[in-house]
Amino acid sequence: MAQQQGDGMEYVADDNEMAEAEDDIYFRGRVFGDSESESDDDEYDSMENRMTDTTAAEARKGKDIQGIPWDRLSISREKYRQTRLEQYKNYENIPQSGELSEKECSLAFRGGKYYDFWQNTRSVKSTILHFQLRNLVWSTSKHDVYLVSGYSIIHWSSLSSKKSEILNVSGHVAPCEKHPGSLLEGFTQTQISTLAVRDNLLIAGGFQGELICKYIDRPGVSFCSRTTYDDNAITNAVEIYEHPSGAVHFMASNNDCGVRDFDMEKFQLSKHFSFSWPVNHTSLSPDGKLLVIVGDNPEGLLVDSQTGKTVKPLSGHLDYSFASAWHPDGHIFATGNQDKTCRVWDVRNLSKSVAVLKGNLGAIRSIRFTADGRFMAMAEPADFVHVYDAKSGFEKEQEIDFFGEISGVSFSPDTESLFIGVWDRTYGSLLQYNRRRNYKYLDCM
């Protein structure tokens, strides 16, 4: 991934990744306003005071799900959507990769209705530190979500509508437990690049190779480690999984070309694999035998999880990849790329992709499957999350359409909820969609 790091907690973005800030009528807090009597700051403060959440009931009555007052603006939602589609510039490491990938793309029917809008919470604002890394939202139940907001990791309960700070890394963070290999001196002002939460274990990765491990049900931090002191040290992704032995492990993908596996029972590094290019994302197969490795190379890899040796290269993408995920059946997996596509693969026949799914605006930065394997969500950098029906062979999709940079997407473990983090100075929020169920016995009543 690109080595871009700002001072402090500035949002790190490339000019090519988004529409030009000055021309964009909506992003960067330019709240659509055309009043010349107010300064930008006054206008922003005024809108802050009027911010309200949006419920499903209000949306059914016509309120915009993000609370954007289209009726008071000089442009309609439809016109602004068209402007975004025309002006958004996808970031590419390999020129014209998005254009060249179009000829292979599968056409999906867009009439799917799998998840219904439930609520938009404006009081929860997720942030993004690096424009290519979008794994900053995690759900541990249909009511519990964890996300990054500045230097804080926040827990949001949709049941009680309350948020709480789980971890603050703006100052000094050090482990309160002693384990071999743990950096007892800890870290100061960690810039969080990636996040993973599973059950009670939370792991945050940082720009300098930091790994901070915290059990949510315990006070303090349990373990700190720096994966590398290399200059190119960004922790790009973390995946938590259960080892066949029953122990909890996590895998960290790093810009120094390494993938490291940590045993959280022993709090020790158990494996370290090195590759010839920076690794942006790694996914472990459900049986624990295979790893999908993607990074700063158009070609991904399927490797043996025990030895790190390549089983099969994954050829087809035209740019760098930043997302991957396995279907629970252990046969199907998907990869997301800056060529604007998500490729679906079958491990039993890797000669070609099962499907090539196209984004609207830009790179596919995040991919998630539901625990039952029925649906797959793929997130673009902004504005669109696509939910595909895996059971139909990825031929049907629901397109979730909004405005804002996407910090992450997460299905709840029971598949009932889908959470989407939206970063924007004014309309930053957490979107929640709930799975549509057909209860025919209720219709009869």
Side-chain angles (χ1 to χ4, degrees):
M1 54 165 273
Q3 267 297 96
Q4 295 197 21
Q5 184 173 358
D7 296 327
M9 291 304 294
E10 292 290 324
Y11 170 68
V12 182
D14 189 284
D15 288 340
N16 292 328
E17 176 74 9
M18 294 178 279
E20 296 295 328
E22 291 299 320
D23 295 335
D24 196 318
I25 59 173
Y26 159 58
F27 287 99
R28 303 294 177 271
R30 177 77 186 156
V31 201
F32 297 103
D34 50 10
S35 168
E36 297 185 18
S37 62
E38 293 182 315
S39 69
D40 283 350
D41 287 340
D42 290 340
E43 184 180 16
Y44 173 66
D45 291 340
S46 176
M47 284 301 294
E48 278 279 295
N49 292 333
R50 296 199 298 270
M51 280 186 182
T52 58
D53 294 347
T54 305
T55 65
E58 290 172 323
R60 285 193 293 269
K61 293 177 181 177
K63 181 179 178 180
D64 181 81
I65 63 169
Q66 293 179 272
I68 301 172
W70 296 104
D71 57 335
R72 302 205 307 270
L73 304 178
S74 58
I75 189 170
S76 67
R77 190 187 195 282
E78 292 73 23
K79 177 62 177 175
Y80 187 61
R81 167 53 66 216
Q82 189 59 37
T83 300
R84 288 281 288 167
L85 289 169
E86 291 170 359
Q87 294 183 359
Y88 195 96
K89 296 176 183 178
N90 178 45
Y91 183 85
E92 297 175 339
N93 284 98
I94 298 177
Q96 296 185 306
S97 62
E99 183 181 333
L100 294 172
S101 68
E102 290 183 5
K103 59 185 179 182
E104 274 196 85
C105 290
S106 317
L107 291 176
F109 172 69
R110 288 186 174 177
K113 292 289 184 182
Y114 314 126
Y115 283 79
D116 293 321
F117 172 77
W118 180 249
Q119 66 177 355
N120 182 50
T121 306
R122 300 271 290 276
S123 60
V124 182
K125 294 186 181 296
S126 59
T127 55
I128 302 166
L129 192 57
H130 194 288
F131 74 99
Q132 290 172 308
L133 304 179
R134 308 298 184 94
N135 293 300
L136 300 169
V137 175
W138 289 86
S139 168
T140 56
S141 82
K142 62 183 177 182
H143 302 304
D144 298 285
V145 192
Y146 297 84
L147 51 89
V148 176
S149 183
Y151 279 111
S152 296
I153 296 174
I154 301 295
H155 168 254
W156 168 255
S157 170
S158 61
L159 193 61
S160 64
S161 296
K162 291 182 179 179
K163 65 179 178 180
S164 57
E165 185 178 70
I166 301 300
L167 182 64
N168 188 305
V169 295
S170 62
H172 182 244
V173 173
C176 60
E177 302 174 17
K178 292 184 179 180
H179 299 288
S182 185
L183 283 179
L184 299 181
E185 65 268 29
F187 306 113
T188 301
Q189 283 198 327
T190 303
Q191 294 181 299
I192 300 173
S193 55
T194 191
L195 178 72
V197 187
R198 177 170 171 169
D199 298 327
N200 285 319
L201 177 60
L202 179 154
I203 300 171
F207 263 75
Q208 302 300 321
E210 303 98 331
L211 288 169
I212 300 173
C213 306
K214 174 180 174 57
Y215 284 95
I216 296 167
D217 56 351
R218 298 184 200 171
V221 168
S222 295
F223 181 76
C224 287
S225 177
R226 191 184 294 276
T227 55
T228 176
Y229 287 89
D230 194 286
D231 290 339
N232 201 13
I234 302 175
T235 307
N236 291 328
V238 173
E239 179 176 83
I240 304 170
Y241 70 97
E242 186 175 322
H243 192 268
S245 67
V248 174
H249 282 228
F250 74 87
M251 205 162 281
S253 307
N254 198 278
N255 229 43
D256 73 342
C257 307
V259 174
R260 296 167 176 83
D261 186 284
F262 288 82
D263 183 341
M264 291 306 291
E265 187 126 320
K266 300 176 182 176
F267 292 92
Q268 289 181 354
L269 176 68
S270 62
K271 295 191 197 76
H272 179 194
F273 303 140
S274 292
F275 300 90
S276 56
W277 29 260
V279 179
N280 296 327
H281 202 272
T282 304
S283 293
L284 181 70
S285 62
D287 64 6
K289 295 180 179 179
L290 296 170
L291 285 171
V292 175
I293 309 287
V294 297
D296 286 5
N297 193 302
E299 191 174 80
L301 298 173
L302 189 67
V303 307
D304 185 296
S305 66
Q306 298 304 309
T307 64
K309 293 183 178 178
T310 299
V311 174
K312 192 81 174 177
L314 304 172
S315 302
H317 282 303
L318 304 178
D319 209 306
Y320 296 173
S321 294
F322 284 83
S324 62
W326 282 86
H327 187 282
D329 69 5
H331 299 306
I332 301 295
F333 63 91
T335 54
N337 191 276
Q338 290 184 159
D339 64 8
K340 293 187 180 181
T341 70
C342 167
R343 284 183 176 262
V344 181
W345 310 82
D346 190 324
V347 73
R348 296 164 294 188
N349 181 9
L350 294 169
S351 59
K352 64 176 183 177
S353 305
V354 172
V356 184
L357 311 173
K358 186 75 170 176
N360 294 328
L361 286 180
I364 307 306
R365 299 259 179 232
S366 186
I367 301 171
R368 298 282 185 270
F369 281 97
T370 52
D372 62 2
R374 177 67 191 275
F375 301 110
M376 181 192 80
M378 71 176 202
E380 300 189 45
D383 295 18
F384 293 101
V385 171
H386 307 264
V387 181
Y388 284 90
D389 183 354
K391 193 175 180 180
S392 74
F394 304 92
E395 294 180 354
K396 297 178 182 178
E397 70 157 305
Q398 175 184 355
E399 187 176 88
I400 298 175
D401 175 343
F402 51 92
F403 294 101
E405 295 290 311
I406 299 169
S407 61
V409 296
S410 182
F411 288 110
S412 59
D414 64 1
T415 79
E416 290 300 314
S417 296
L418 169 63
F419 295 93
I420 304 167
V422 182
W423 181 88
D424 180 71
R425 180 184 171 189
T426 303
Y427 292 101
S429 65
L430 183 68
L431 287 164
Q432 179 179 348
Y433 285 75
N434 286 351
R435 188 164 178 174
R436 176 175 287 195
R437 298 291 188 182
N438 295 317
Y439 297 112
K440 293 182 179 179
Y441 67 91
L442 290 178
D443 294 336
C444 295
M445 291 177 66

